[in-house]
Amino acid sequence: MVNDPFKEPPQDVHSKATPEGVAAIGLVALILAAGFLAVAPYAAKPVPEGKAWFLAPVNWPALSLSAMAVTGLALAWPLLRGRMSWRAASGAFEGMLPALGYSLLFCGYLALLTQAGFAISSLIFGQLCLWASGLRSVKWSMWNVMFVVITVAVLRVGMGMYFPFAPLFKAMPPWLGNPLGSIL
């Protein structure tokens, strides 16, 4: 029998959103929006002098984050008022632990990128992702090294792109840090 691509697939029991799950996602959206709104004035430049208020770099993100906060509050309101079970709401995040782990790895990669440079950070990030996914053999480590070497070669030689000198190389003696910093 040929699968009909227009036929709706059978619904899994776990694929339907519950009201508690929607409220939990709304609560997360509310918390994220409130946090980003709190730091937005510090992350954006002030209004350019002599320009209209709506040209301030913080205004449009603040408007979008405010809409996100209001929507999150509306979705989370029954949960916050105690009309829903917190235990049932936490079920909205079932199975997300691996995705959150990889997200944290990526955030660590971005933080390390500014300190150790592109090549070293990419090598560490790639290896940690391989280990987290269960690929621990030497073969996969060599693929990771080859990928980073090829990427650096394409960016440096092929495209002529150079990244800023990383603080890690500035901390090394000049006879070691300067050659490594220019390559990595």
Side-chain angles (χ1 to χ4, degrees):
M1 182 172 174
V2 177
N3 289 338
D4 183 5
F6 299 106
K7 184 178 176 186
E8 194 170 315
Q11 291 294 318
D12 184 22
V13 174
H14 300 292
S15 67
K16 293 187 179 179
T18 63
E20 292 86 0
V22 171
I25 299 297
L27 182 61
V28 169
L30 173 63
I31 291 169
L32 286 174
F36 289 141
L37 276 169
V39 299
Y42 305 105
K45 294 179 181 176
V47 179
E49 195 170 320
K51 300 289 182 177
W53 66 269
F54 55 84
L55 294 176
V58 73
N59 287 339
W60 293 111
L63 179 66
S64 300
L65 288 169
S66 297
M68 181 176 163
V70 169
T71 304
L73 179 63
L75 292 173
W77 189 250
L79 183 64
L80 295 173
R81 296 280 297 168
R83 295 184 189 143
M84 292 183 174
S85 163
W86 284 91
R87 183 175 301 254
S90 67
F93 302 102
E94 269 180 13
M96 287 184 63
L97 192 58
L100 292 174
Y102 285 111
S103 298
L104 286 175
L105 275 177
F106 187 71
C107 290
Y109 169 67
L110 293 177
L112 186 62
L113 196 58
T114 62
Q115 300 303 313
F118 176 77
I120 293 174
S121 301
S122 297
L123 192 63
I124 292 170
F125 173 68
Q127 194 59 48
L128 289 175
C129 285
L130 287 171
W131 286 343
S133 64
L135 302 171
R136 294 182 172 94
S137 70
V138 175
K139 175 183 87 171
W140 287 105
S141 295
M142 290 299 106
W143 278 111
N144 182 37
V145 170
M146 282 184 10
F147 174 77
V148 171
V149 167
I150 290 170
T151 303
V152 168
V154 166
L155 292 175
R156 301 289 166 124
V157 178
M159 297 175 67
M161 183 186 297
Y162 287 87
F163 295 102
F165 203 73
L168 173 72
F169 301 117
K170 290 178 184 174
M172 293 179 179
W175 61 269
L176 179 62
N178 289 341
L180 286 178
S182 65
I183 297 170
L184 303 175

